[in-house]
């Protein structure tokens, strides 16, 4: 009999780190009793059902409540895949550190969850299973539903080293108060010059209609966060993103186009179309400014396209706000990709070479990626948390919320529009979300850091960029000072980081 789904909470304790072992003692083989016949038997032998295969998995708890050991969704999933899943949930905030502790002590599962490819030391130690042949034989749904860009992100020299959950959208989008544009007779800006014209109009022409010059044309959060689409007008991001440029893999903070982005932000500050507190706004303060109806434009995640509309409908209903996602304007003199960084991978599952049942693990994930598995991991069981009426999906919102932890941990497919529409159960809400996705699908640039080994040393790039970039946008240093910042960072060790990243890229990824 099935012993039950086990979810083990890993608690930190002091122990000495041992040399990494070859595997753990909890791995199991598939039991396949052979069919037999007696000397007297004349009929064909009857096959004995295969015993459920145990799969031990490490995964983040995603900061959600632990799953119930008797959750009917777990039982359903295991029955469908003929598995007995032993899930070891590690606290999300400490996940990477606790993974390292487990691996260092020789505790290896059959599969573990990550957000990129496997760690370089695990690959070098021969701990990671290559998946190409197994996926060809046992993963038809994985091959069908995972795009090549996602496979490339988890491959080294053509060897697939993880099963990726694909992601199709760029990191954020640009939101604007369309009701402000309409009131002032303006169109959504398509260039950086047009953007400046719109922001000045927001500054001067009282679009919120209160007779005060209190509008904030554009706002972002502390440390340049959620200003992605302003930087993205020149194809760069201020957050940790790497690109292959001029025969090197460089972090975008030192990309030459960053100078133009900082220069534009400086002009926004000079023209007083930028929130005066943009370098210090906390999340709470920033959100309050937007919800109070003071902000005309901002950047944020696409998934919250409807949430912003719903929030403003509650806080400023008399203004009849209309929040829409618009494409990133094109920066002057730039003709490359626009928007924000795009990762083809949301999360990954890495299979260890020590597993005794690799084909069963692949089949398990292949079912999760099947049409049935996708509906199940998105919505739960039909007839319980959702049903179909006249060809449409109708969800039980309360049960969907109870399924949240299960959904986040076990879902391995990308966005299913029909499911998202059903979850919202609001045509207007889905229209907003769909429009934001459409913008994100058409823009964005690849982050080469996905799938690469972790950076050993950034040589203080984050702090240096924040300090030097702030001086430039506040007028305390000329824009040309950016070149000195880059030279200084490279000399103090940045060149070593660039060389290490470029060498790995040329050896393992460059085509």
């Amino acid at each position: 009999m099935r012993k039950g789904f086990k979810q083990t909470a890993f608690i930190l304790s002091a122990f000495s780190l041992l040399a990494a072992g070859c595997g753990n003692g909890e791995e199991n083989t598939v039991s396949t009793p052979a069919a037999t016949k007696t000397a007297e038997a004349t009929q064909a032998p009857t096959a004995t059902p295969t015993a459920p295969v145990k799969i031990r998995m490490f995964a983040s708890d995603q900061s959600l409540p632990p799953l119930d050991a008797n959750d009917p969704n777990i039982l359903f999933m295991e029955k469908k895949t003929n598995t007995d899943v032993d899930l070891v949930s590690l606290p999300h905030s400490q996940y990477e550190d606790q993974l390292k502790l487990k691996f260092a002590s020789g505790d290896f599962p059959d599969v573990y969850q990550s957000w990129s490819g496997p760690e370089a030391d695990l690959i070098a130690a021969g701990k990671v299973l290559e998946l190409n042949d197994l996926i060809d034989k046992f993963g038809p749904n994985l091959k069908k539903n995972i795009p090549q860009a996602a496979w490339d992100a988890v491959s080294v020299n053509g060897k697939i080293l993880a099963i990726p959950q694909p992601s199709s959208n760029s990191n954020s989008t640009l939101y604007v108060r369309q009701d402000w544009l309409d009131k002032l007779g303006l169109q959504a800006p398509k260039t950086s010059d047009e953007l400046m014209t719109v922001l000045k109009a927001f500054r001067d022409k009282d679009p919120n209609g209160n007779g005060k010059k209190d509008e904030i044309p554009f706002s972002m959060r502390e440390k340049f966060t959620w200003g992605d689409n302003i930087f993205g007008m020149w194809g760069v991001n201020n957050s940790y993103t790497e690109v292959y440029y001029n025969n090197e893999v460089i972090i975008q903070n030192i990309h030459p186009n960053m100078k133009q982005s900082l220069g534009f932000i400086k002009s926004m500050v000079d023209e007083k179309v930028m929130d005066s507190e943009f370098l210090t706004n906390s999340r709470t303060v920033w959100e309050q400014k937007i919800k109070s109806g003071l902000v005309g434009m901002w950047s944020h995640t696409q998934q919250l396209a409807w949430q912003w509309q719903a929030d403003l409908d509650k806080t400023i209903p008399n203004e009849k706000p209309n929040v829409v996602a618009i494409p990133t304007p094109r920066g002057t003199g730039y003709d490359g990709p626009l928007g924000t960084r795009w990762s083809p991978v949301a999360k990954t599952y890495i299979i260890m070479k020590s597993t005794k049942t690799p084909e069963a693990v692949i089949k398990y994930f292949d079912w999760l990626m099947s049409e049935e598995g996708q509906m199940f991991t998105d919505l739960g069981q039909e007839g319980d948390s959702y049903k179909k009426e006249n060809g449409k999906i109708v969800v039980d919102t309360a049960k969907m919320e109870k399924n949240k932890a299960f959904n986040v941990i076990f879902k391995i497919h990308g966005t299913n529009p029909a499911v998202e529409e059903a979850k919202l159960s609001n045509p207007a809400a889905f229209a907003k979300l769909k429009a934001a996705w459409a913008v994100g699908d058409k823009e964005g640039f690849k982050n080469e850091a996905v799938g690469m080994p972790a950076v050993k040393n950034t040589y203080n790039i984050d702090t240096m960029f924040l300090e030097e970039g702030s001086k430039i946008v506040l007028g305390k240093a000329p824009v040309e000072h950016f070149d000195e910042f880059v030279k200084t960072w490279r000399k103090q060790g940045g060149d070593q980081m660039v060389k290490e990243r470029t060498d790995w890229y040329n050896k393992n990824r460059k085509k």
Side-chain angles (χ1 to χ4, degrees):
M1 288 182 63
R2 178 185 173 280
K3 294 182 180 179
F5 174 86
K6 295 196 300 179
Q7 184 179 37
T8 307
F10 179 62
I11 303 175
L12 278 173
S13 61
F15 60 86
S16 300
L17 298 183
L18 307 176
C22 295
N24 62 72
E26 300 185 37
E27 293 151 347
N28 294 270
T29 57
V30 179
S31 174
T32 314
T36 60
K37 63 178 181 179
T38 64
E40 297 84 8
T42 57
Q43 72 272 24
T46 301
T48 303
T50 303
V53 180
K54 278 195 175 182
I55 298 177
R56 188 164 183 257
M57 181 189 303
F58 293 170
S60 164
D61 67 3
Q62 304 292 337
S63 298
L64 294 169
L67 291 167
D68 186 339
N70 296 311
D71 188 324
N73 285 328
I74 301 297
L75 303 180
F76 180 87
M77 177 183 70
E78 292 184 323
K79 182 178 180 180
K80 280 289 183 178
T81 57
N82 193 36
T83 59
D84 181 359
V85 178
D86 177 6
L87 177 67
V88 180
S89 290
L90 308 180
H92 186 72
S93 62
Q94 304 163 18
Y95 186 69
E96 298 290 347
D97 290 338
Q98 294 198 16
L99 267 185
K100 292 177 183 178
L101 289 174
K102 278 193 162 290
F103 293 161
S105 69
D107 187 1
F108 293 97
D110 295 305
V111 58
Y112 74 94
Q113 179 245 309
S114 183
W115 291 273
S116 188
E119 290 74 8
D121 56 344
L122 290 180
I123 299 174
K127 301 294 184 185
V128 180
L129 185 66
E130 296 173 17
L131 304 180
N132 301 62
D133 292 341
L134 287 165
I135 290 169
D136 284 340
K137 293 179 182 178
F138 305 111
N141 292 304
L142 296 172
K143 293 181 68 175
K144 176 183 177 182
N145 294 301
I146 298 177
Q148 190 59 46
W151 290 121
D152 289 345
V154 295
S155 298
V156 175
N157 288 327
K159 299 174 182 177
I160 299 172
L161 300 179
I163 296 174
Q165 178 189 10
S167 173
S168 60
N169 300 109
S170 57
N171 195 45
S172 74
T173 194
L174 192 61
Y175 290 105
V176 66
R177 288 281 300 274
Q178 181 66 44
D179 53 306
W180 284 18
L181 291 176
D182 294 343
K183 183 175 182 179
L184 302 181
L186 299 169
Q187 299 294 317
K190 295 181 179 180
T191 67
S192 56
D193 289 341
E194 290 179 5
L195 174 61
M196 183 60 77
T197 298
V198 167
L199 295 178
K200 288 179 179 179
F202 285 175
R203 177 195 66 192
D204 297 333
K205 297 184 179 181
D206 191 27
N208 67 9
N210 65 0
K212 302 177 182 178
K213 199 169 183 179
D214 57 356
E215 287 84 358
I216 301 173
F218 191 95
S219 184
M220 65 174 77
R221 273 170 34 191
E222 57 191 339
K223 300 179 181 179
F224 290 117
T225 53
W226 294 114
D228 306 63
N229 297 85
I230 297 298
F231 290 96
M233 293 194 293
W234 284 273
V236 293
N237 271 183
N238 60 304
S239 50
Y240 194 85
T241 308
E242 289 179 278
V243 294
Y244 190 76
Y245 173 79
N246 199 22
N247 298 318
E248 291 182 317
V249 174
I250 63 169
I251 190 168
Q252 284 201 330
N253 299 74
I254 67 167
H255 195 289
N257 287 9
M258 185 58 73
K259 189 189 326 187
Q260 294 169 282
S261 299
L262 291 172
F264 186 81
I265 294 175
K266 179 182 183 301
S267 67
M268 294 173 73
V269 173
D270 292 343
E271 293 291 346
K272 293 182 172 52
V273 297
M274 173 66 83
D275 184 346
S276 62
E277 300 175 311
F278 76 102
L279 286 173
T280 59
N281 278 329
S282 66
R283 174 180 176 176
T284 301
V285 170
W286 179 74
E287 289 183 349
Q288 182 56 39
K289 289 177 179 179
I290 297 172
K291 293 176 184 179
S292 64
L294 296 177
V295 181
M297 197 175 292
W298 65 96
S299 291
H300 210 220
T301 175
Q302 295 158 24
Q303 283 298 116
L304 293 181
W306 171 248
Q307 189 61 55
W308 281 115
Q309 181 65 54
D311 287 343
L312 267 66
D313 282 343
K314 291 178 182 177
T315 56
I316 52 170
N318 293 337
E319 292 187 33
K320 295 182 173 54
N322 183 13
V323 180
V324 301
I326 63 172
T328 302
R330 181 166 296 281
T332 300
Y334 173 69
D335 61 2
L338 300 168
T340 62
R341 66 176 177 177
W342 166 66
S343 169
V345 170
K347 63 177 182 282
T348 60
Y349 295 88
I350 297 157
I351 301 173
M352 309 308 293
K353 190 177 288 186
S354 55
T355 181
K356 299 297 192 298
T357 58
E359 70 285 346
V361 178
I362 296 296
K363 289 179 180 178
Y364 164 77
F365 283 109
D366 192 68
W367 182 81
L368 292 179
M369 188 60 87
S370 69
E371 183 175 349
E372 181 184 25
Q374 289 190 36
M375 289 293 292
F376 170 64
T377 51
D378 259 328
L379 297 174
Q381 298 178 63
E382 185 174 359
D384 177 38
S385 51
Y386 80 96
K387 57 185 177 180
K388 293 181 179 179
E389 295 181 350
N390 299 321
K392 291 187 176 182
I393 301 170
V394 180
V395 303
D396 184 322
T397 305
K399 287 186 176 180
M400 283 294 302
E401 186 62 28
K402 288 181 63 177
N403 290 345
K404 188 174 182 179
F406 174 85
N407 169 277
V408 173
I409 291 172
F410 292 103
K411 175 178 175 178
I412 70 165
H413 60 277
T415 301
N416 185 324
V419 168
E420 297 301 321
E421 183 175 13
K423 285 181 180 179
L424 287 170
S425 64
N426 180 330
F430 183 66
K432 291 284 186 183
L433 187 57
K434 190 175 180 181
W437 286 341
V439 171
D441 285 342
K442 294 178 182 178
E443 61 182 40
F445 41 82
K446 187 177 179 182
N447 179 17
E448 293 290 359
V450 176
M452 291 183 69
V455 174
K456 297 177 182 178
N457 189 340
T458 65
Y459 300 96
N460 205 33
I461 185 66
D462 293 331
T463 300
M464 286 184 65
F465 177 78
L466 178 59
E467 291 177 350
E468 302 306 320
S470 297
K471 290 178 184 177
I472 290 172
V473 299
L474 295 177
K476 297 179 180 179
V479 175
E480 291 72 24
H481 181 68
F482 176 81
D483 297 325
E484 292 302 316
F485 147 69
V486 173
K487 289 179 182 178
T488 300
W489 179 78
R490 278 183 172 272
K491 286 180 181 179
Q492 72 175 33
D495 274 336
Q496 180 62 29
M497 173 183 162
V498 170
K499 182 180 185 304
E500 290 173 357
R501 308 299 277 173
T502 303
D503 287 347
W504 187 94
Y505 183 92
N506 289 337
K507 179 181 179 182
N508 298 292
R509 183 172 289 172
K510 187 177 180 180
K511 296 178 180 179

